[in-house]
Amino acid sequence: MACILRHIESGQRILVTIARVTSGGDRLEVYRHKRDFEHTPEPAGRVQPSAPEGDPRFVVQRHRARRLHYDVRLEVDGVLVSWSVPRGPTLDPAVRRLAVHVEDHPLEYLDFEGVIPRGEYGAGDVIVWDTGTYRLTKGDDAGEEMAKGELHVEFAGQKLRGRVALIRTGRRTGEGQQWLMVHAADDQAEADWDAEDHPRSVLTGRTNEQVLHPPTPPPPAPDPHLRWHAPSAAQMEALDTLGNDGVWHVDGVDLSLTNLDKELFPGAEGRPALTKRDLIRHYASVAPLMLPYLTGRPVNLQRFPDGVDVEGFWQKEVPSNAPEWWTRWHDDGARPGRTEWYSVLDRPAALVFTANLAAIELHPWTSTSEQPDRPSWALIDIDPGSATTFDDVVVLARLFRTALDHLQIQGRPKVTGQRGLQIWVPVGQRYTYAETRRWVESLSRMVGSLVPELVSWNWRTGERDGLARLDFTQNAPHKTLVAPWSVRPAPGAPVSVPIEWHELDDPDLVGDRWCIPDIAQRVSRCGDPLAQLIGLPQELPAL
Ligand code: MN
């Protein structure tokens, strides 16, 4: 009795309780009534006992129905309470977004992505625009807070993060109620942040358009475990005996090569000058080692048609004269004016073709074309300043090694072919760039704090006092580091070479130790120490 009285003191609480009891397992009745599950791919679902532990989940779906809108759904009492937000949630605290309360959806809807056919309720295409967990920042029962007309939560999604208030404004009750959605001015807030600038599914990397019209599948991607072959000795000889221009038959195709005797690299310190023929020979020879880092990934090329003494240029778009068999990838998330069609280098002939374009540096994305928002490498970049010696670089690399050992995370160093060192850490393709960047930043700041005399956190080159930078910002969409086995545009043609950790102790190690003419011997002695880590789906431990 006392218990009942206490509830009566709080009229709202008892109303909520009654509503829950009378609706029982039928909170999805409205949802089901609107849909014909013979025709829609949406789940029929059922009310489920709330998850026993962990924060409740949320999903935001981008839904191109009669009108584009975003559906914000929060797990409450075994269903997804839902609002339709025409312009989508925002991180901008200066903006209020209308949110119309709609019928509860089943929890099975959390990962629903697909096409609702014409004639069905909500016909159109749906992607999981964001998902994650949330917690209440006010009250301890979401159903009660909603009944009061104010829900204060903190989202931990990939896009939607930070504190958000949902506030009922209209008088109507139930479905069609008008609410406002407002982001707090907290440390996740971001002025002018617009949902439409982030158009891909966090589950599949697809846009709504790709869900509606799945792109025609590209020619079957080569098996990543396929053994690519370098050209045979006879084929190499054929390359060597071609004139300045000629047709080389390699990798099953005829490639027209031009200006083969053009000097691209001047000599340096006892190293010979090298021609485009040498560049082509290098890329053809390392193709079996290098293609596993390139295949399935968009690539940026840096071309130096007039040699490395003349400034080169970046080529991101597929070359206009690319042959029929070229693998292309369309970036559906590209902003207007940006590169839309990228090259994907997936066979030796493609490497020969780009070398013939005098593409000296190859920079593959750290994510794949299938999951462009999910990197498979976390990159640690030790970027020396003007006063940084290579010994300093090695000191920093050893500290990273110790830290990674301690965390039981595998990675390998590679010399850049210039003055620096990078450490490549393979990760399972489930993290966002924001997550790998934060992880590398934490690790870098830990390492940097041990040797503050070597590291600057000032990002402007002129204000770094010549100190090294631990550049975690390369872990971002569209940002890339030079590929293993790529040549660098410098006299002598130095190459970026993966090394074993113990080679850091070699007194002869320097960043540009190996040039094109040294690579065959280096490979026959040491192979590629990074190769065994390709595709290793490591989890990043909390730091
Ligand atoms: Mn909808």
Side-chain angles (χ1 to χ4, degrees):
M1 190 65 189
C3 165
I4 289 172
L5 282 175
R6 262 209 307 281
H7 275 196
I8 288 173
E9 281 167 18
S10 160
Q12 274 163 331
R13 179 179 287 240
I14 204 160
L15 280 178
V16 171
T17 310
I18 288 170
R20 278 184 202 167
V21 169
T22 53
S23 62
D26 285 326
R27 287 190 63 174
L28 296 175
E29 198 175 63
V30 180
Y31 170 87
R32 291 202 192 97
H33 184 74
K34 290 182 171 184
R35 287 167 177 80
D36 177 355
F37 296 104
E38 295 284 305
H39 293 108
T40 180
E42 295 164 286
R46 58 189 179 86
V47 180
Q48 293 179 28
S50 288
E53 55 192 41
D55 287 332
R57 295 163 288 178
F58 80 91
V59 63
V60 180
Q61 274 137 336
R62 185 174 186 274
H63 184 179
R64 292 196 305 181
R66 200 155 43 83
R67 280 197 181 153
L68 170 68
H69 62 273
Y70 289 72
D71 292 298
V72 176
R73 313 187 192 280
L74 274 58
E75 178 180 14
V76 175
D77 299 328
V79 296
L80 294 171
V81 298
S82 299
W83 290 265
S84 168
V85 182
R87 298 193 51 202
T90 178
L91 303 183
D92 186 345
V95 169
R96 295 153 175 251
R97 288 281 154 88
L98 170 68
V100 180
H101 191 197
V102 298
E103 78 274 14
D104 295 336
H105 280 51
L107 289 184
E108 286 87 345
Y109 221 90
L110 274 165
D111 60 1
F112 173 71
E113 201 165 281
V115 178
I116 303 171
R118 264 165 74 169
E120 295 304 304
Y121 180 75
D125 42 77
V126 177
I127 60 165
V128 174
W129 179 84
D130 195 17
T131 187
T133 59
Y134 75 94
R135 58 183 192 82
L136 292 177
T137 53
K138 198 174 160 193
D140 54 15
D141 184 319
E144 283 178 22
E145 299 302 311
M146 281 188 65
K148 292 182 206 161
E150 278 196 24
L151 191 60
H152 296 265
V153 300
E154 180 167 9
F155 287 107
Q158 294 177 32
K159 299 172 185 172
L160 188 51
R161 304 186 67 87
R163 285 183 289 120
V164 168
L166 276 150
I167 295 159
R168 187 170 60 215
T169 57
R171 291 224 176 78
R172 289 178 61 176
T173 55
E175 246 193 282
Q177 265 176 357
Q178 297 206 344
W179 296 57
L180 286 177
M181 193 172 181
V182 189
H183 198 285
D186 59 13
D187 57 3
Q188 301 288 348
E190 203 176 313
D192 300 324
W193 194 95
D194 193 285
E196 288 293 292
D197 292 335
H198 307 266
R200 287 180 183 280
S201 161
V202 295
L203 287 190
T204 61
R206 296 183 298 178
T207 57
N208 280 78
E209 190 58 29
Q210 285 172 322
V211 167
L212 182 62
H213 298 296
T216 44
D223 177 356
H225 301 292
L226 181 90
R227 291 273 166 263
W228 285 287
H229 292 287
S232 65
Q235 283 175 315
M236 283 301 194
E237 205 180 308
L239 173 64
D240 290 340
T241 53
L242 280 184
N244 190 44
D245 300 323
V247 173
W248 191 27
H249 185 78
V250 67
D251 189 21
V253 293
D254 287 322
L255 290 169
S256 291
L257 306 182
T258 54
N259 283 322
L260 289 169
D261 295 321
K262 186 177 181 89
E263 181 182 304
L264 294 181
F265 304 89
E269 294 164 32
R271 298 182 179 282
L274 296 174
T275 62
K276 198 159 93 177
R277 195 190 309 265
D278 297 312
L279 184 73
I280 291 171
R281 195 189 293 108
H282 167 78
Y283 278 120
S285 307
V286 299
L289 291 179
M290 196 170 185
L291 285 168
Y293 299 104
L294 298 171
T295 190
R297 297 164 194 272
V299 67
N300 302 337
L301 311 171
Q302 203 180 8
R303 294 175 58 186
F304 295 82
D306 296 313
V308 300
D309 286 340
V310 180
E311 202 176 339
F313 63 94
W314 284 101
Q315 168 127 22
K316 299 185 179 178
E317 200 82 36
V318 170
S320 54
N321 59 341
E324 192 82 356
W325 46 263
W326 201 253
T327 303
R328 301 156 165 86
W329 173 70
H330 187 260
D331 181 6
D332 294 290
R335 294 198 183 187
R338 298 284 179 85
T339 302
E340 285 190 42
W341 286 96
Y342 285 83
S343 299
V344 176
L345 307 183
D346 52 11
R347 54 187 287 185
L351 277 173
V352 170
F353 186 90
T354 56
N356 187 56
L357 297 176
I360 290 177
E361 281 202 6
L362 308 182
H363 286 229
W365 286 22
T366 44
S367 55
T368 56
S369 53
E370 279 188 1
Q371 290 182 276
D373 298 329
R374 304 285 159 149
S376 69
W377 296 101
L379 302 178
I380 295 165
D381 186 14
I382 305 172
D383 178 15
S386 55
T388 309
T389 65
F390 194 72
D391 285 345
D392 295 338
V393 171
V394 168
V395 166
L396 287 162
R398 284 207 192 99
L399 289 171
F400 275 109
R401 177 197 190 168
T402 306
L404 292 173
D405 265 358
H406 181 74
L407 295 164
Q408 296 184 299
I409 288 289
Q410 301 223 48
R412 287 284 185 286
K414 95 177 166 53
V415 296
T416 59
Q418 294 174 343
R419 298 174 52 233
L421 267 169
Q422 300 161 359
I423 298 162
W424 284 40
V425 176
V427 299
Q429 229 179 329
R430 57 179 162 274
Y431 299 103
T432 61
Y433 277 106
E435 287 168 326
T436 56
R437 185 167 62 249
R438 271 197 295 272
W439 192 82
V440 173
E441 177 177 4
S442 304
L443 193 69
S444 299
R445 289 196 185 272
M446 237 152 65
V447 164
S449 69
L450 299 172
V451 280
E453 70 281 11
L454 295 185
V455 175
S456 168
W457 298 103
N458 201 324
W459 243 233
R460 283 185 217 164
T461 317
E463 296 169 16
R464 280 160 58 188
D465 293 330
L467 298 180
R469 178 173 64 167
L470 303 179
D471 189 2
F472 51 84
T473 66
Q474 301 298 330
N475 295 282
H478 298 271
K479 294 215 173 172
T480 53
L481 292 181
V482 67
W485 307 107
S486 175
V487 183
R488 307 308 300 271
V495 177
S496 181
V497 174
I499 61 174
E500 296 281 3
W501 283 112
H502 66 76
E503 291 183 87
L504 292 177
D505 304 327
D506 180 342
D508 291 335
L509 185 69
V510 283
D512 56 357
R513 177 166 181 183
W514 294 282
C515 291
I516 282 181
D518 311 319
I519 294 302
Q521 195 187 42
R522 163 75 192 177
V523 170
S524 72
R525 274 195 196 157
C526 306
D528 181 349
L530 182 57
Q532 58 189 289
L533 300 191
I534 295 172
L536 190 68
Q538 294 188 109
E539 285 187 29
L540 295 177
L543 294 175

